[in-house]
Amino acid sequence: MHLPRQLGSLHDLPDSPGAYDEVLADVTEQALARLTPEGNLEHPDCDDDIGDTSLGITSLLALAWQRTKDPRLPEAVRRSTDFHLRERVYTDDNPGYPNLRVRGSGLPYARYVLEAGAHPIGDWPSTVWSLLQAVNLLDLAEGLLDDDRTAALRDMARGYWRWLTEATFFNPQEAGNQAIGCVVGGLMLARHLPPQEGERVRERAIALYTDEIRAHRVRDRGALLPPEHGGAYDNNYGPISLSFLAQAHRVSGAEIFAEDGEAVARYLDARLTTGGFDFGGPRYSEQHSGFESVLGLRYFGHRVGADLGRYRGDTRWGRYAVKPDGGVDGHFAWMLVWQIQDTTPWHRTPSTDPVRHQLRAGGVSVAFDSRMTPSLIEADGTYLLPAAVNRQHGFGPVVDGFLLCRPMGEVRVRDVRTGGLAAKLVTKPVVTRDHVLRHVRSLYVTDGTRLWTTVAVERLPGEPYLLAGLPYVSDDGDRLRRIADAEVASAGGLRVTHPTAEGPEYFDARADTTQEQAAFTLAADPRGYGNPDEGWSHLVASTAIEATPVPGGPDDLDVFAVRYGPGDTFRASFAHTADGLTVRTEAFTAVIGDPAGDEHGEPLLTLRG
């Protein structure tokens, strides 16, 4: 089986002006064929996320007219604008909506579901989205809308802003992407208001960002991130938030948006594999966004000098939102408008600066979590997740069922590059179940094709082994194919084990189940609420690659040596020398210094090919 949504890298989609004109021409023909006598441009099958969709198509038609002057478009824009103003603006409170601060305000809002009282919780983001469609249309209205329509549209947008910031609690779903989107809507609206009112709205928008979003950022892997539905980062919504930060900076010029966007971009670059695969997040562990991410990835990838466009998006949504029949849906159309208007080029070459939470060279990458334990390993187009044993997740030595990867003290890192090799040494103090302090030294070396991992720890009792990963997916053209084994070699013994027990808390890679499905099955919350991806943390055991210690190593150490990727016989030897532990393989020689490190306690590493 394949993962259902992570497809091609987003920077592979053509983004020249001509390519975008073809996209708009496609939207135009679909929209003109769909336009009802009443002016409705909604997809016939649309029933939720609907309040902004017709207006989104209208804004795309307005952009198409500004670029092509197609004579068929002005009347369609006017009729569809009238439809939204007449049929899709609500001023009576939606029955059951729980987040009002003012009842009976009479302010306009957009509904997530048109039927009164049907799933009202989605009205806040739907109103944000409708505000963004409206301000885009205001930006494009010249030559299309008369003064009366423009004034009505402006008043509606002003009312949306007041409903979002006065009549309701701000950001009631604790969703960073929705909150930053609302800020963008305020910043864009401000440009269409009288100067004094516009300045007040602009100041309010920036204050909301500073006080309600930025002040509540969550730390992960050394970065401060906008919180998303109960988590620090979501692989669908995180890049969407990045696009909102890009638009906020484009519109306002405020440096705070550039600074925070660059921080998110560097974070994403560190956690993202060379092949663009990533997983994890409170709502959409593997359901990556498409066109909604392009603006942020392109804008901030260029600013920080990183190839963020390698991100594997859902290219079925590569141009715009679609329904199952492939027909255009106006949902999130503002992102397509913005990415067409922005001319920032893709930055396509990797950053060469060492990054604490990543090792990357050629087709090999290791992403590390906040504990400096690998969260994702990629080698030769194969991707491995942290395995699970006895409810413990990670990569590291296991003794008597206890995984030694959770640090008890400072984790230190040393990066070295020489010739065609790149290496990272991670040293961390850990405590065994019986309270004995051990020093785990993990060396990762790559030549861009293969990855060698060496783990050394003071001699362990019993029959220790190295938990070396859960084989998960491999590249298969523009798809990711589920796997249950991987090309891995060990200088000691090697085995692949599968859970012997059954149940949702046991993940067998041979089954047709994805990580996301398993996470949501184990979650306390349904998808879309809380942080259902926490369910993955309840996994008891998984398929795992396990390596035994290398025979003939130093008497006082257990040393494990594993190679990921293709190659002939794997050879590795280890010996104490005056400078530390010498590691010799068929591709390199490394010397890992004493666990105490240098005079500052920092790890010592030398490497040669």
Side-chain angles (χ1 to χ4, degrees):
M1 64 174 293
H2 293 92
L3 296 190
R5 292 194 177 266
Q6 291 200 48
L7 304 174
S9 294
L10 290 177
H11 65 197
D12 290 341
L13 292 169
D15 63 348
S16 66
Y20 281 136
D21 283 336
E22 291 179 8
V23 173
L24 290 174
D26 170 33
V27 172
T28 294
E29 297 307 320
Q30 289 193 55
L32 292 178
R34 178 186 300 170
L35 184 66
T36 69
E38 297 78 18
N40 189 351
L41 287 169
E42 293 159 1
H43 191 284
D45 295 337
C46 191
D47 54 13
D48 59 16
D49 261 330
I50 191 173
D52 68 302
T53 60
S54 181
L55 193 60
I57 298 293
T58 305
S59 70
L60 290 172
L61 297 183
L63 178 62
W65 185 80
Q66 297 292 355
R67 292 168 72 93
T68 67
K69 295 301 187 284
D70 184 331
R72 300 174 298 170
L73 294 180
E75 180 61 21
V77 169
R78 293 163 193 151
R79 285 171 54 193
S80 58
T81 299
D82 290 344
F83 168 80
H84 183 86
L85 291 168
R86 184 180 66 248
E87 303 289 344
R88 292 296 179 258
V89 180
Y90 295 85
T91 56
D92 54 325
D93 295 348
N94 199 351
Y97 185 71
N99 298 314
L100 290 176
R101 299 173 62 196
V102 178
R103 294 180 59 189
S105 69
L107 292 170
Y109 66 94
R111 285 186 177 174
Y112 177 76
V113 175
L114 300 181
E115 180 185 354
H119 202 80
I121 195 69
D123 290 355
W124 203 87
S126 289
T127 304
V128 174
W129 308 156
S130 196
L131 170 62
L132 293 170
Q133 314 284 27
V135 291
N136 269 348
L137 185 54
L138 285 170
D139 283 351
L140 298 163
E142 185 176 356
L144 288 171
L145 301 184
D146 57 28
D147 290 345
D148 288 344
R149 284 190 177 93
T150 300
L153 190 66
R154 184 187 303 111
D155 286 344
M156 180 195 72
R158 180 192 280 118
Y160 281 159
W161 171 254
R162 291 189 60 200
W163 188 85
L164 291 164
T165 60
E166 298 175 22
T168 70
F169 288 95
F170 183 78
N171 190 22
Q173 295 185 25
E174 297 183 353
N177 77 99
Q178 298 173 11
I180 305 172
C182 182
V183 168
V184 172
L187 294 172
M188 295 183 70
L189 171 65
R191 303 183 302 180
H192 295 279
L193 300 176
Q196 288 187 337
E197 182 185 2
E199 185 57 29
R200 288 196 301 270
V201 169
R202 185 183 192 280
E203 290 176 354
R204 174 70 169 146
I206 293 178
L208 284 169
Y209 179 76
T210 302
D211 299 339
E212 301 295 335
I213 303 171
R214 196 171 200 261
H216 298 282
R217 288 177 297 172
V218 179
R219 184 176 296 278
D220 185 48
R221 309 184 196 195
L224 288 170
L225 309 168
E228 188 60 63
H229 287 285
Y233 186 82
D234 182 275
N235 277 305
N236 177 277
Y237 288 127
I240 293 174
S241 287
L242 193 63
S243 289
F244 281 133
L245 288 169
Q247 181 66 3
H249 186 246
R250 292 180 68 235
V251 171
S252 71
E255 194 59 28
I256 190 173
F257 300 117
E259 178 183 330
D260 291 357
E262 289 176 9
V264 175
R266 292 189 180 97
Y267 168 86
L268 176 58
D269 186 42
R271 68 175 290 153
L272 193 62
T273 60
T274 296
F277 170 63
D278 194 7
F279 79 104
R283 286 193 64 181
Y284 293 111
S285 192
E286 293 174 345
Q287 295 189 44
H288 281 33
S289 50
F291 75 100
E292 316 100 290
S293 301
V294 167
L295 174 66
L297 296 171
R298 195 171 64 193
Y299 189 84
F300 284 110
H302 185 79
R303 286 183 68 93
V304 303
D307 55 334
L308 298 185
R310 69 187 189 275
Y311 179 93
R312 283 184 184 265
D314 185 347
T315 49
R316 295 173 301 182
W317 278 41
R319 298 305 195 183
Y320 42 70
V322 298
K323 287 300 184 185
D325 66 358
V328 62
D329 180 4
H331 188 47
F332 274 42
W334 20 268
M335 284 292 195
L336 178 57
V337 172
W338 300 341
Q339 67 165 279
I340 291 175
Q341 292 172 333
D342 180 65
T343 58
T344 303
W346 285 111
H347 182 94
R348 296 181 178 274
T349 57
S351 172
T352 58
D353 296 333
V355 176
R356 178 178 174 86
H357 293 92
Q358 181 196 63
L359 174 67
R360 181 183 175 197
V364 172
S365 54
V366 185
F368 296 87
D369 63 18
S370 293
R371 305 178 306 182
M372 286 307 297
T373 297
S375 62
L376 193 54
I377 286 178
E378 170 193 16
D380 194 37
T382 296
Y383 306 84
L384 297 97
L385 311 184
V389 57
N390 294 336
R391 301 185 186 274
Q392 305 158 96
H393 299 210
F395 290 78
V398 178
V399 56
D400 294 331
F402 191 76
L403 175 61
L404 302 177
C405 73
R406 293 171 298 281
M408 181 59 69
E410 191 66 23
V411 181
R412 301 174 189 257
V413 176
R414 175 62 59 89
D415 283 278
V416 173
R417 289 181 179 261
T418 180
L421 299 172
K424 186 184 294 286
L425 175 62
V426 177
T427 66
K428 64 172 73 173
V430 301
V431 176
T432 65
R433 195 185 296 275
D434 54 356
H435 300 269
V436 175
L437 182 69
R438 306 275 183 168
H439 295 273
V440 176
R441 292 175 287 171
S442 302
L443 173 65
Y444 305 88
V445 181
T446 179
D447 62 359
T449 301
R450 298 162 292 179
L451 173 71
W452 290 265
T453 300
T454 300
V455 178
V457 61
E458 292 93 341
R459 181 72 69 175
L460 298 167
E463 297 181 356
Y465 63 88
L466 181 73
L467 196 65
L470 160 64
Y472 186 58
V473 289
S474 64
D475 291 336
D476 187 10
D478 279 347
R479 306 295 302 273
L480 286 167
R481 179 174 51 85
R482 284 279 285 106
I483 58 173
D485 202 350
E487 194 162 5
V488 178
S490 171
L494 187 71
R495 57 184 179 256
V496 178
T497 64
H498 303 284
T500 55
E502 296 183 356
E505 65 271 31
Y506 299 94
F507 188 84
D508 192 327
R510 298 170 297 182
D512 289 343
T513 304
T514 68
Q515 183 272 343
E516 181 177 83
Q517 291 169 334
F520 286 126
T521 298
L522 293 168
D525 298 305
R527 173 174 291 162
Y529 301 90
N531 184 354
D533 200 43
E534 286 181 345
W536 185 251
S537 67
H538 300 309
L539 200 69
V540 173
S542 72
T543 294
I545 297 173
E546 301 174 355
T548 58
V550 178
D555 292 338
D556 59 335
L557 297 176
D558 276 318
V559 184
F560 307 89
V562 172
R563 184 187 66 205
Y564 302 88
D568 298 326
T569 303
F570 178 27
R571 300 185 305 276
S573 63
F574 308 90
H576 283 306
T577 64
D579 296 322
L581 178 65
T582 298
V583 181
R584 291 187 175 88
T585 73
E586 72 276 20
F588 64 88
T589 298
V591 179
I592 303 173
D594 185 276
D598 62 15
E599 64 272 20
H600 302 292
E602 296 301 322
L604 295 165
L605 174 65
T606 59
L607 177 70
R608 65 177 184 273

